[in-house]
Amino acid sequence: MIHQWATDRGFCNTVLTLYELANGDDTVGQEFYNLDPATLRRSLEVLQSQGRAQLFVGSSDDDTAMADANEHDVTFESTDSGSAMTFPLQCSALRKNGHVVIKTRPCKIIDMSTSKTGKHGHAKVNLVATDIFTGRKYEDLSPSTHNMDVPIITRMEYTLIDIEKNTNDEVKGRGFLSLMTEDGTMKEDVKVPDSEIGDKIIADFEQGLELMVTVVSAMGEEHAMSHKEAPKGNN
């Protein structure tokens, strides 16, 4: 709803304040007009997670600004940029348990702290994060006003139909999962994980269990990250 309004009005790639969205002349009559700041911000955070908006603190480095949702700005991304794998976000707007790109890898933030260097120095943000696929730890130190890339992460659940085992000793890996979407479309390009997760998927499948596999995609990579027994149908 909000993104469609921004697209229709030509506000994509334009910086707007949350006050302008909730109380501006351009939004009179919209369903989100006079929406309370906390609810509006939650809606924008959903758009941000989808790569369709960027929510960040304005020009202030003061941590107290984070407490006031009205002091946040937002930009809306055009829908024709759907092929993008990341979107920029001001470093000070990153949050623990959120995601960020460090050394070209999609990572989950496990710790972050802000410090200042010198009397006239800019605030700096120290990030500690782990690769969402490999678990490797990374660290980064950047000015709070610096833009960081945030990976666009998607999670899809598939029905496991079969496991194609690798019988070629010259090819690394354990083979591929044969997966099916809800509409019956087959997907056969996700590798069996070379990890304990892969061991459990194979073991449960060989026991005859009907399984659902969750595939996480980010920055051109896809990995099977978890699985569970499929819910039993009603007889």
Side-chain angles (χ1 to χ4, degrees), residues 78-92:
S78 301
T79 54
D80 59 9
S81 60
S83 60
M85 294 185 289
T86 64
F87 63 93
L89 184 66
Q90 191 166 308
C91 193
S92 61

Side-chain angles (χ1 to χ4, degrees), residues 9-29:
R9 293 297 185 93
F11 285 126
C12 287
N13 301 315
T14 300
V15 177
L16 299 170
T17 65
L18 267 64
Y19 181 84
E20 288 174 319
L21 282 178
N23 306 98
D25 293 338
D26 290 311
T27 59
V28 173

Side-chain angles (χ1 to χ4, degrees), residues 48 53-56 77 85-95 98-107 109 111-112 124-129 138-152 219:
Q48 178 174 277
Q54 302 168 36
L55 184 65
F56 55 93
E77 297 295 320
M85 294 185 289
T86 64
F87 63 93
L89 184 66
Q90 191 166 308
C91 193
S92 61
L94 295 171
R95 291 290 178 268
H99 296 92
V100 68
V101 177
I102 299 179
K103 295 183 179 178
T104 72
R105 298 298 303 167
C107 298
I109 301 170
D111 193 22
M112 63 183 297
K124 291 187 178 294
V125 177
N126 181 57
L127 297 171
V128 181
Y138 292 93
E139 292 193 36
D140 182 86
L141 183 64
S142 298
S144 61
T145 54
H146 176 69
N147 273 354
M148 300 283 289
D149 284 334
V150 176
I152 296 174
M219 299 181 67

Side-chain angles (χ1 to χ4, degrees), residues 3-235:
H3 187 273
Q4 187 61 53
W5 167 85
T7 301
D8 293 343
R9 293 297 185 93
F11 285 126
C12 287
N13 301 315
T14 300
V15 177
L16 299 170
T17 65
L18 267 64
Y19 181 84
E20 288 174 319
L21 282 178
N23 306 98
D25 293 338
D26 290 311
T27 59
V28 173
Q30 299 296 320
E31 291 185 38
F32 53 88
Y33 185 73
N34 276 336
L35 193 65
D36 71 274
T39 302
L40 178 59
R41 183 179 173 185
R42 284 195 295 270
S43 299
L44 294 172
E45 286 173 344
V46 172
L47 289 176
Q48 178 174 277
S49 70
Q50 298 170 345
R52 297 195 293 167
Q54 302 168 36
L55 184 65
F56 55 93
V57 179
S59 59
S60 174
D61 284 337
D62 190 348
D63 290 340
T64 60
M66 300 302 297
D68 189 347
N70 276 321
E71 294 195 25
H72 285 71
D73 297 335
V74 64
T75 62
F76 295 96
E77 297 295 320
S78 301
T79 54
D80 59 9
S81 60
S83 60
M85 294 185 289
T86 64
F87 63 93
L89 184 66
Q90 191 166 308
C91 193
S92 61
L94 295 171
R95 291 290 178 268
K96 184 177 179 180
N97 296 322
H99 296 92
V100 68
V101 177
I102 299 179
K103 295 183 179 178
T104 72
R105 298 298 303 167
C107 298
K108 181 177 181 179
I109 301 170
I110 59 173
D111 193 22
M112 63 183 297
S113 58
T114 303
S115 60
K116 291 192 176 183
T117 56
K119 183 177 180 181
H120 302 290
H122 293 288
K124 291 187 178 294
V125 177
N126 181 57
L127 297 171
V128 181
T130 55
D131 190 309
I132 64 171
F133 295 132
T134 68
R136 180 178 177 181
K137 183 181 290 187
Y138 292 93
E139 292 193 36
D140 182 86
L141 183 64
S142 298
S144 61
T145 54
H146 176 69
N147 273 354
M148 300 283 289
D149 284 334
V150 176
I152 296 174
I153 299 173
T154 61
R155 292 174 174 81
M156 294 290 294
E157 198 169 65
Y158 300 89
T159 300
L160 178 61
I161 302 300
D162 199 3
I163 298 177
E164 178 189 343
K165 295 184 178 179
N166 182 15
T167 58
N168 188 344
D169 294 335
E170 296 181 359
V171 179
K172 293 183 179 180
R174 306 171 69 172
F176 290 85
L177 301 171
S178 182
L179 306 169
M180 186 175 68
T181 63
E182 288 185 357
D183 63 6
T185 302
M186 297 302 298
K187 181 177 179 61
E188 299 178 315
D189 57 353
V190 178
K191 291 183 177 181
V192 179
D194 290 319
S195 63
E196 185 178 347
I197 294 174
D199 295 339
K200 291 181 178 179
I201 291 176
I202 293 173
D204 287 348
F205 184 74
E206 290 180 344
Q207 287 182 19
L209 298 179
E210 295 184 7
L211 302 177
M212 304 294 294
V213 176
T214 298
V215 176
V216 176
S217 305
M219 299 181 67
E221 292 185 40
E222 284 188 315
H223 293 261
M225 302 297 289
S226 64
H227 76 291
K228 64 182 180 181
E229 188 173 357
K232 302 296 183 182
N234 294 324
N235 295 327

